[in-house]
Each structure stands twice: as C-alpha cells, then as structure tokens.
C-alpha cells in the first residue's frame, strides 16, 4: 500500500516548502536540546494541571494529553481555501437549523427527506417556532477535517464531521501555542506564523454579539457541569481568559422568565450563557427530570427570548451523521454555491444497496454509529480482527439505520516523536468557527495525532495526542 | 462575585486556619501532658480538649481511651473526623480546586502540594519523635498559604472572603484554646507566681506564638489574668479575639452588600464589646462563661454570613425591582474616605 500523504515530506522524501524554515531549525539543533525541551513541555503541562478525565477509568483519574513538538504547518494559500470552505459550510448549517425550526423550505423543496429530519431523535420539536438572536444556532462549531489521497485527488481536505453541540479542545490549541512559543522562541522570531492567542477575545465578542435584543452590556457566563467533567479544565480556562464567571447550574435561577446568578451582592441578570452542558441536562423542567446540572425554568426564559444559549438547543440535528451526507446539498440550497470543502464519500446503511455493499466490504471500511461520538462505537475495518468485524456485523444487522460507512482514508501523516525516534503518524485538524453578527476564526485549530503506529483514531480518549498548528502568513 | 465562589473562598480560608489551630491546640496539650501526670485522673488534658472541641462523642464511639496517641491520631490524621488536620487541609484544597480560576496559580500549587504531602504523612503515620515537627510543618504550610495570598492576590472581594474565613476561624479557635486550657488550669488560678503557672500558662502562650509577646508587653510574671487579657483584648496581639474581630468587622464593612445590615449590626456589637471591655469585667463574669457566650455569638454570626452572602434562592424570596439589581451600596471605607 502506498504511504499516506505526508505534511512535511513529498513523495520523493524532499521537505515541502512550508516546512523549509522548521526543517532548517531542526537540522541545526542538537538532539539533546530537543530531548530537554520535550521533557520541559511534559513537566510544565503536569504542573499547570492541563489534564482531562477519562470516562470508564478509575474515578477521578486525570491524564495528560500527549503533546508533540513537531508542528503541523499549513501554507497560507491552503488555509485561505479551508477558511472559505468553513465559512460557507457553517453558514449553510446555521441557515439549515433556522429553516427546519421555522419554515422548513428545504424539506418542502424535497432536497432532504422530511422524515430523516423530523423523525430524527436529534430534532427538538420544542424549538419549532422559537426565534434566536440573528438566527444563529451553532455559535461555536468544531469542524473536523482530514487530509488524504483518495481517488485521483492528492492531499485533498475532507470534512469528517461537523461538531455543533459543545465542541471541545480549543484550550489545547491555545496551550500548545503557548508551550511552543516558550520552548522555541527563536523559530517564531524567524518565521511568520499566524497568531491564535486572540481566540478568547473573538469568542467573547461573538457571544456578546448574540445577546437578547435590547441588552447593551450583556452579562456572559460559562455554564459547566462541574469539576468532575472531563473538559472542566477547558471550561475554567476559557472563563478565566474571557474574564467571565464560570457557573454551575445551582449558581443560576430563573424568575419571571429571566435568568439570574446568585452573587454576594444579590441576584444579577444573565444575558448570554456559553453552556458546556448537553441539551438534555439544561433544564429539568423541560428535558431530563433527573438532571441536577441544569437550571429549572431555563428553557422558558430561553423561549421567551430573555437569554441566549450558545450553542442553541437542538443543533444536534445538523451534526448528526445521518444529516452529514446532506450538507453539500444544504450549501447549494442556502448559499447557491458549490461546496468548497468535500465530504468523505459515505454509504447509508439504511439504504439496501449501500448496506449490501458495506456488508461485503466491512474489512476495508470505517463504520460509525449515527449518534456516536468521540471515537466510541466505531469499526475501523483494516485494523480490526475477524471476530471484531463479525461482532460489528451483528450489531449492524440488528439496527442498520443506526450506521453509516466510509472508505478508510489514509489520513495524512506528520513526523512525530515516538519511543523509537521520529516516525510518521496520522493527523486530523479541528478548526473552531465562531458565528454571531459575523463569522470569525483564528487560523489553524487543534491538530490531533494518533500516536499508535498505523492508527487512524486521533481522539484523546483513545490514545491520541496533539500538535501545535501553524498557518504561515506568507 | 458569585455566592458559590465566595463560599469556597471562605471555607478555603477557614480550612487552612483550622488546620493550623488544631496543630497549635494539640501541640500545647501534648506539651502540658508531658509536664503533669495525674494518677487520679489520667488523660485529663486530652479529655478536656475533646470536650471543648465538641468532638468527644465521635471519639468515644470509635476509640477506647483518650490517650495521647489516640487523641493525636483522631485530631491529626483521622479521615473520619471532619475536624482533623487531615480533613481541614482536604477542605482547603477541594475548595481551592473548585475556584482555581479565582486564585493565583502560586496559591493553588501551594495548597495542592500541602494536600499531597498530608496524604503521604497520613499513609506513613507519625512517629513519636516526629510529633513536634509535624505540628511545625502544619503551621508553616498555613503561614505559606496566607503569605502567598497576601503577596499575590488582587485586593478585591476574592481576597476579602478568603481573609474573612481566616480571621473568623481564628477568633473561634483562639477562644477555644483559651477555654480548654483555662479549664485544665482552673485549680491553679489562685496559685499566682508558682512554677506550675509558669510552665502551664507558658505552654499556652507558646501555642499561640505569644510567649515572647507576653514578656514584651507585661515585663512581669505570667499570671492567668494577663494571659487572658493578652489573648482576648489586646488589638496588637495577632491571634487575640480583638485582633481577629477587628479584621472580621473591617472585612464585612468592606464587602457590604444589599442585605448586610443585620450582619454588620451584630458583628459591630460584638466588636464594640471587645473594644471597650476590661479584663476585670470578664473575670467578674467568669472566663469560661464569657468564652462560651463568645463562641455562641461567633457561631450565630457564621450563620448570618451564610444567609447574607451564600444564600440560596429560597432565602431571597421577594422579586427585586430592576433598580435594586444595579444599585450597589458604597462600602463604609468609601464613605469615610
């Protein structure tokens, strides 16, 4: 099998132009210096406590996400195209959400089967007719991109999935950059690398721009499930960076359809909630009754337009894997343009022809649960045993509509420090797209890397690491 | 500030201070127990200490006799005793963890490493010859965390709630230390100038780092009345009730808040009585009676701090007019400036 597209080296093994500056630096730096810098990075991450909790392991256990010092470098022109593609895609996704919760033009036009939307468990009927500020639903989108040689295309970017609920990981993007600048200031002095540190400013500005009508100096808070959540570090980090309060459900209460927070100076009105709690847990009166994380009455305040939730309730329908295949059509319908970024070719197991093909080719394909996320509940055919494939086949046959399948893309690789030295490892890229009055983003995003040789699963919960992402300015 | 943040800060301050004072109280009891062994009443000091800490029932249910080793284990290392040093440091660390963003990273790192070391000590146990150095260690960590707070925190309500917890706990603890020792030393009150006085009251003074101060202030024999005066009424003695209540009163005035009226009134009253009290009046009433009442009033003030600042929605029933939400009373220091 031909090796995957490598970000640093071309097919002949020569360094690509975007990596010339970095490669020259690497060449001129003694291995001991690099080894020492790597140790320093590890120690710093531990001391500062940039950790995440792993579900299913010993309670309260915290782990460090491995960080690799070789950056993923994206040339300026390449990023321009990615950015244009992301803007177009997120704009269409927001238009789609606004549409299906109001006039449902796209369904009336027959461009997407109505049953797939209205019959989907992710469609929130409670949101029908609810107007949200600016018609924006997905204020923060984390769009996962992969790069691969596929068919006749070489090093093409594909959208793997759109994360429109509570995408996480942006704190690692920021901490990785801070770490690289601390370890290797001389490279930053020499190369023109686009900054990302202003992300918290952009995020705060974005959240303020979607405050309820008539609120001029909105009070923005970040709502977290609490310190035992796996992403708590990120919640605390972002709140601190934005200078806003980090609140839990019991810090808030609703009176007369208005949300207040309990402060030492009495109740203070809350206008915008950047929530990192799933829809189901937001309001025990409206959704899951057993939720102790939420705020009773929040949904009524929201429906009355007295508070903005970011992201909105009900965005899960648009990043559902069953809806993924329709995103190119959404772009054509709402933007009147051809998609700039491609989807990965996808088979729907609900369709008999697709199902037949997939079941015959399980060993070559990646099969995902429609509602799954985080790398859980998926089958990667080429790296699975016969027994695993057969077990998965039985799961598919029991409920075929719950699955989609995609070709196993040879995700692009980047040289990475591993136990045996430096070796190519597979990557993806998650840029964070902010939508409010405008669409904004910082160049790049979070690069995740699968540290196990040959592995295509980059999720931190599955042994993935991260790298700094450099978008060149020239 | 969020009520929950203020709550965490307050208990962070109290936890650290309580650990320190428990170490001080154990230290003085330990020193005294080395001085006097009563055959008729063994473990007299330890028994008195447990009863005044209000933890004797829990102790009796789980330990057989109040020997030095048992009480010290119970008060220092026992994870089931909510008042142990182990649990006080745990309280401080967990409250800090919940508001890591509100305090400086230096402060968090110090509290976290104190807790990690405490866990190690608890697992290893304390050898008999390590008792004093353990108490020293607890005091040093408390000094360190207070020093970092003082040296790194912005002087806003975060700092004030943290300090409120510290001094509130100190007022409570100094009253308890004085009460427990007074209780033990009662038979010797009239035996002024005796050797027993020197050692026992001297040990008490040392437990609150006041031995040298006593000498400087009084330049005279150690007498129970002067010790009590020093630890109750002297504003320049940093661990006295007066000094602690000066801080509590000032902090509460600075924090203020729309519902703080009753809290300020009650605190000001207690503060004023200390400020204008005399040791003769206190002794005429009986020191034990005086300290018991002080502890009760401190306890009530604590309740009032709870409902004033760490309120739940049930405690704030009336819907507030929009104007009230944006209006903040100027603090008294602003008024006086």
């Amino acid at each position: 099998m031909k090796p995957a597209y490598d970000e640093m080296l071309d097919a002949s093994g020569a360094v690509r132009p975007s990596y010339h500056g970095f490669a020259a630096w690497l060449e001129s730096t003694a291995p001991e210096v690099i080894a020492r810098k790597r140790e320093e990075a590890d120690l710093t991450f531990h001391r500062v406590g940039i950790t995440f909790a792993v579900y299913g392991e010993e309670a309260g256990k915290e782990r460090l996400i491995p960080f690799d010092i070789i950056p993923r470098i994206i040339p300026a022109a390449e990023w321009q195209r990615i950015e244009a593609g992301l803007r177009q895609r997120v704009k269409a996704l927001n238009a789609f959400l606004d549409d299906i919760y109001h006039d449902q033009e796209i369904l009336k036009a027959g461009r997407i089967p109505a049953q797939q939307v209205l019959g989907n468990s992710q469609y929130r009927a409670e949101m029908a007719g609810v107007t949200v500020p600016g018609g924006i639903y997905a204020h923060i989108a984390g769009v996962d991109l992969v790069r691969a040689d596929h068919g006749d295309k070489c090093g093409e970017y594909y959208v793997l999935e759109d994360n429109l609920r509570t995408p996480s990981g942006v704190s690692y993007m920021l901490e990785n950059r801070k770490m690289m600048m601390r370890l290797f200031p001389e490279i930053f002095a020499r190369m023109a690398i686009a900054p990302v540190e202003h992300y918290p400013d952009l995020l705060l500005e974005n959240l303020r721009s979607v405050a309820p009508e008539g609120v001029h100096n909105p009070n923005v808070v970040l709502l977290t499930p609490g310190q035992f959540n796996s992403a708590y570090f990120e919640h605390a980090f972002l709140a601190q960076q934005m200078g806003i309060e980090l609140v839990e459900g019991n810090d808030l209460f609703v009176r007369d359809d208005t949300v207040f927070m309990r402060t030492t100076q009495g109740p203070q009105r809350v206008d915008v909630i950047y929530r990192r709690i799933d829809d189901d847990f937001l309001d025990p009166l409206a959704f899951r009754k057993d939720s102790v994380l939420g705020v009773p009455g929040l949904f009524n305040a929201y429906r009355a337009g007295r508070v903005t939730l970011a992201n909105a309730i009900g965005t899960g329908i648009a990043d559902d894997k069953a809806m993924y295949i329709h995103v190119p059509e959404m772009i054509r319908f709402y933007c009147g343009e051809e998609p700039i970024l491609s989807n990965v070719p996808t088979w729907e197991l609900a369709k008999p022809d697709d199902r037949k093909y997939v079941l015959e080719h399980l060993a070559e394909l990646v099969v995902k649960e429609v509602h799954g996320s985080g790398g859980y509940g998926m089958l990667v055919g080429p790296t699975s045993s016969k027994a695993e494939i057969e077990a998965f086949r039985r799961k598919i046959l029991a409920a075929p509509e719950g699955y989609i399948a995609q070709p196993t893309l040879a995700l692009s690789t980047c040289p990475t420090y591993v136990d045996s030295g430096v070796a190519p490892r597979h990557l993806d890229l998650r840029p964070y797209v902010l939508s409010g009055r405008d669409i904004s983003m910082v160049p790049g995003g979070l690069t995740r890397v699968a540290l196990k040789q040959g592995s295509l699963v980059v999720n931190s919960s599955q042994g993935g690491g991260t790298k700094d992402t450099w978008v060149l300015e020239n | 500030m969020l009520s929950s943040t203020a709550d965490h800060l307050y208990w962070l301050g109290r936890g650290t201070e309580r650990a320190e004072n428990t170490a001080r109280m154990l230290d003085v009891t330990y020193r005294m127990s080395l001085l006097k062994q009563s055959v008729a009443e063994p473990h007299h000091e330890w028994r008195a200490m447990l009863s005044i800490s209000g933890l004797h029932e829990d102790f009796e249910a789980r330990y057989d006799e109040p020997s030095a080793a048992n009480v010290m284990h119970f008060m220092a290392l026992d994870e089931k005793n909510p008042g142990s040093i182990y649990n006080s440091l745990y309280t401080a660390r967990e409250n800090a963890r919940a508001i890591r963003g509100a305090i400086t990273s230096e402060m968090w790192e110090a509290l976290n490493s104190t807790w990690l070391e405490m866990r190690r000590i608890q697992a290893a146990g304390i050898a008999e010859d390590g008792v004093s150095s353990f108490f020293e260690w607890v005091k040093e960590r408390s000094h360190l965390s207070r020093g970092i707070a003082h040296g790194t925190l912005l002087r806003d309500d975060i700092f004030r709630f943290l300090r409120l917890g510290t001094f509130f706990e100190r007022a409570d603890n100094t009253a308890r230390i004085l009460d427990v020792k007074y209780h033990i030393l009662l038979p010797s009150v009239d035996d002024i100038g005796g050797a027993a006085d020197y050692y026992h009251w001297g040990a008490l003074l040392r437990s609150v780092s006041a031995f040298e101060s006593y000498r400087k202030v009084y330049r005279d024999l150690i007498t129970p009345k002067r010790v009590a005066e020093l630890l109750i009424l002297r504003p320049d003695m940093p661990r006295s009730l007066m000094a602690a209540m000066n801080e509590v009163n000032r902090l509460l005035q600075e924090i203020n808040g729309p519902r703080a009226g009753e809290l300020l009134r009650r605190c000001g009253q207690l503060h004023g009585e200390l400020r204008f009290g005399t040791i003769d009046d206190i002794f005429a009433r009986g020191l034990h009676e005086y300290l018991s009442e002080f502890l009760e009033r401190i306890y009530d003030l604590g309740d009032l701090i709870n409902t004033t600042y760490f309120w739940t929605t049930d405690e704030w029933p009336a819907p507030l007019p929009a104007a009230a939400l944006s209006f903040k009373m100027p603090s008294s220091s602003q008024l006086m400036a």
Side-chain angles (χ1 to χ4, degrees):
Chain A
M1 196 175 131
K2 132 176 143 62
Y5 182 93
D6 193 273
E7 301 286 341
M8 183 162 167
L9 306 170
D10 68 19
S12 70
V15 174
R16 294 183 195 276
S18 54
Y19 270 89
H20 277 168
F22 181 78
W25 172 86
L26 197 61
E27 189 98 334
S28 65
T29 308
E32 309 87 75
V33 173
I34 292 176
R36 206 178 58 231
K37 300 275 185 182
R38 291 182 58 214
E39 266 172 39
E40 192 184 331
D42 249 24
L43 277 175
T44 309
F45 276 133
H46 259 298
R47 205 190 58 229
V48 180
I50 302 172
T51 55
F52 70 105
V54 183
Y55 295 119
E57 289 193 17
E58 185 193 328
K61 188 168 174 183
E62 293 169 5
R63 220 165 59 183
L64 206 62
I65 297 187
F67 168 68
D68 185 68
I69 62 161
I70 301 178
R72 185 239 191 92
I73 303 179
I74 302 173
E78 220 170 72
W79 174 254
Q80 277 163 18
R81 183 170 159 270
I82 296 172
E83 178 168 340
L86 292 169
R87 284 175 180 275
Q88 179 196 53
R89 189 171 177 104
V90 171
K91 199 171 145 194
L93 287 164
N94 271 311
F96 169 72
L97 284 161
D98 195 37
D99 186 26
I100 58 163
Y101 288 122
H102 292 90
D103 300 335
Q104 306 183 340
E105 301 288 354
I106 199 165
L107 307 183
K108 288 177 194 154
R111 307 284 279 270
I112 297 176
Q115 174 52 28
Q116 279 194 24
V117 175
L118 306 179
N120 190 309
S121 62
Q122 295 295 318
Y123 180 79
R124 293 269 175 196
E126 304 93 321
M127 284 297 290
V130 176
T131 299
V132 299
I136 300 296
Y137 288 73
H139 306 88
I140 299 109
V143 181
D144 288 348
L145 299 175
V146 296
R147 194 176 195 195
D149 296 334
H150 182 64
D152 55 357
K153 286 183 173 156
C154 174
E156 175 75 4
Y157 282 97
Y158 293 93
V159 176
L160 196 60
E161 58 185 41
D162 306 286
N163 295 284
L164 306 178
R165 299 171 216 196
T166 55
S168 64
V170 78
S171 58
Y172 299 104
M173 171 187 89
L174 295 166
E175 287 292 342
N176 288 352
R177 175 58 57 85
K178 204 159 109 191
M179 182 62 71
M180 287 298 274
M181 293 187 79
R182 174 192 164 125
L183 296 178
F184 310 112
E186 68 277 16
I187 314 184
F188 286 87
R190 214 182 294 168
M191 294 175 69
I193 300 161
V196 298
E197 297 86 330
H198 56 297
Y199 178 83
D201 283 358
L202 288 183
L203 177 58
L204 180 60
E205 192 43 48
N206 192 61
L207 293 168
R208 290 171 62 94
S209 79
V210 292
E213 210 170 315
V215 176
H216 298 298
N217 188 18
N219 181 20
V220 183
V221 300
L222 193 158
L223 176 61
T224 173
Q227 55 175 307
F228 299 107
N229 183 267
S230 65
Y232 181 72
F233 164 75
E234 174 158 307
H235 306 161
F237 174 86
L238 286 175
Q240 193 180 21
Q241 294 291 309
M242 289 190 280
I244 64 174
E245 292 287 359
L246 176 68
V247 300
E248 294 182 28
N250 56 17
D251 288 316
L252 303 180
F253 67 97
V254 176
R255 190 159 288 154
D256 302 333
D257 284 347
T258 306
V259 183
F260 294 95
M261 59 183 189
R262 290 193 295 124
T263 83
T264 54
Q265 301 295 327
Q268 190 186 340
R269 188 177 159 176
V270 171
D271 306 296
V272 180
I273 302 177
Y274 175 26
R275 49 88 171 214
R276 298 290 296 258
I277 293 183
D278 292 343
D279 287 357
D280 280 340
F281 295 93
L282 275 176
D283 179 352
L285 301 182
F287 307 110
R288 273 180 67 154
K289 310 256 174 301
D290 59 342
S291 170
V292 290
L293 306 173
V295 186
L298 179 58
F299 185 59
N300 274 343
Y302 181 57
R303 219 164 21 186
R306 303 278 292 159
V307 68
T308 302
L309 292 175
N311 289 350
I313 293 173
T315 55
I317 179 65
D319 72 6
D320 188 76
K321 291 190 181 71
M323 218 39 56
Y324 166 84
I325 49 168
H326 300 300
V327 179
E329 197 55 29
M330 294 176 199
I331 295 172
R332 290 182 199 107
F333 187 77
Y334 297 110
C335 306
E337 297 165 1
E338 274 305 303
I340 299 170
L341 293 169
S342 318
N343 261 15
V344 179
T346 303
W347 293 277
E348 297 169 75
L349 273 73
K351 292 184 180 166
D353 288 353
D354 283 16
R355 183 159 70 238
K356 183 164 179 291
Y357 176 84
V358 170
L359 290 172
E360 283 166 6
H361 296 84
L362 276 182
E364 303 155 27
L365 303 175
V366 176
V367 187
K368 298 172 176 175
E369 279 180 20
V370 170
H371 302 308
S373 69
Y376 293 102
M378 66 187 273
L379 173 80
V380 181
T383 62
S384 299
S385 68
K386 278 219 165 71
E388 284 167 338
I389 290 176
E390 290 316 307
F392 216 88
R393 184 191 304 278
R394 283 192 294 277
K395 281 169 69 179
I396 295 171
L397 287 170
E401 65 288 350
Y403 296 89
I404 58 164
Q406 293 169 338
T408 310
L409 295 179
L411 306 190
S412 65
T413 57
C414 181
T416 302
Y417 278 94
V418 292
D419 290 341
S420 57
V422 176
R425 287 292 182 267
H426 296 291
L427 306 172
D428 81 348
L429 174 66
R430 176 180 287 184
Y432 296 87
V433 185
L434 303 175
S435 305
R437 198 175 297 124
D438 307 299
I439 294 181
S440 57
M441 67 191 93
V442 298
L446 178 66
T447 293
R448 297 185 296 180
V449 52
L451 294 173
K452 278 183 243 160
Q453 187 171 8
S455 169
L456 295 168
V457 185
V458 296
N459 302 81
S460 52
S461 51
Q462 312 273 308
T466 65
K467 284 170 174 286
D468 194 11
T469 309
W470 294 357
V471 172
L472 301 182
E473 288 189 312
N474 49 33
Chain B
M1 190 198 306
L2 283 180
S3 292
S4 58
T5 305
D7 197 355
H8 286 303
L9 286 161
Y10 175 75
W11 285 104
L12 163 55
R14 289 196 71 162
T16 308
E17 185 68 20
R18 184 173 297 180
E20 176 183 344
N21 286 304
T22 305
R24 288 176 178 281
M25 198 153 27
L26 284 171
D27 198 18
V28 64
T29 309
Y30 182 67
R31 284 168 198 246
M32 284 182 167
S33 74
L34 297 177
L35 292 175
K36 183 182 78 175
Q37 285 297 339
S38 158
V39 183
E41 241 189 311
H43 313 314
H44 178 57
E45 295 87 356
W46 297 107
R47 220 185 292 275
M49 172 171 172
L50 285 172
S51 81
I52 295 206
S53 305
L55 296 164
H56 53 287
E57 280 175 20
D58 182 25
F59 179 88
E60 280 154 17
R62 295 192 288 116
Y63 292 79
D64 46 8
E65 53 160 17
S67 64
N70 277 346
V71 177
M72 280 204 284
H73 182 270
F74 176 70
M75 292 299 293
L77 304 182
D78 194 332
E79 58 200 67
K80 290 195 194 120
N81 171 10
S84 67
I85 293 174
Y86 176 89
N87 269 321
S88 300
L89 293 178
Y90 178 70
T91 300
R93 191 261 189 176
E94 284 305 292
N95 279 290
R97 190 168 121 98
I99 45 151
R100 270 181 70 170
I103 55 177
T104 54
S105 50
E106 285 105 315
M107 206 178 150
W108 157 249
E109 283 171 25
L111 288 160
N112 193 35
S113 50
T114 303
W115 166 242
L116 295 175
E117 178 65 8
M118 181 69 241
R119 238 177 19 177
R120 194 196 61 73
I121 294 171
Q122 199 240 12
I126 304 171
E128 199 171 342
D129 61 356
V131 167
S132 289
S133 54
F134 172 70
F135 294 143
E136 284 307 314
W137 175 79
V138 175
K139 279 192 269 179
E140 273 170 24
R141 296 309 294 188
S142 173
H143 292 324
L144 179 68
S145 110
R146 209 165 37 242
I148 293 176
H150 203 269
T152 64
L153 284 180
L154 188 69
R155 296 303 193 262
D156 60 5
D157 278 355
I158 287 178
F159 185 69
R160 293 187 192 104
F161 274 104
L162 178 73
R163 302 277 284 183
L164 181 63
T166 302
F167 292 108
F168 202 80
E169 186 69 24
R170 186 177 296 175
D172 172 288
N173 293 174
T174 297
R176 280 179 201 276
I177 293 178
L178 194 55
D179 200 18
V180 67
K181 292 311 137 196
Y182 185 76
H183 193 66
I184 298 167
L185 298 171
L186 207 53
S188 69
V189 165
D190 296 324
D191 178 21
I192 293 169
D197 255 11
Y198 175 80
Y199 287 111
H200 287 127
W201 290 102
L204 169 57
L205 286 171
R206 283 202 178 85
S207 80
V208 289
S209 308
F211 187 79
E212 291 88 352
S213 307
Y214 183 97
R215 288 299 197 204
K216 266 172 125 170
V217 171
Y218 297 103
R219 300 185 182 284
D220 200 350
L221 292 178
I222 295 177
T223 70
K225 208 170 180 179
R226 287 192 192 127
V227 171
E229 185 183 54
L230 184 70
L231 296 186
I232 295 173
L233 297 176
R234 292 286 304 201
D236 49 0
M237 172 61 217
R239 308 197 77 81
S240 73
L241 303 189
M242 184 73 248
M245 287 310 294
N246 269 341
E247 292 290 333
V248 168
N249 195 49
R250 187 178 55 77
L251 289 163
L252 286 177
Q253 284 179 14
E254 285 177 10
I255 294 166
N256 208 335
R259 294 202 313 170
E262 179 61 10
L263 175 62
L264 289 173
R265 189 186 72 74
R266 298 258 284 271
C267 182
Q269 197 172 30
L270 184 58
H271 177 253
E273 284 170 29
L274 271 172
R275 170 92 174 69
F276 300 108
T278 68
I279 198 64
D280 288 331
D281 289 347
I282 292 171
F283 268 64
R285 254 194 81 190
L287 183 60
H288 175 66
E289 288 69 22
Y290 175 83
L291 291 171
S292 301
E293 196 205 302
F294 180 83
L295 283 169
E296 258 170 50
R297 289 170 70 178
I298 278 282
Y299 191 84
D300 289 345
L301 268 187
D303 270 356
L304 210 47
I305 289 176
N306 258 316
T307 50
T308 304
Y309 293 116
F310 318 143
W311 53 283
T312 65
T313 46
D314 314 332
E315 288 159 359
W316 205 301
L320 287 158
L325 300 178
S326 56
F327 180 68
K328 184 183 175 223
M329 286 285 290
S331 72
S332 58
S333 59
Q334 285 167 324
L335 287 174
M336 281 184 284

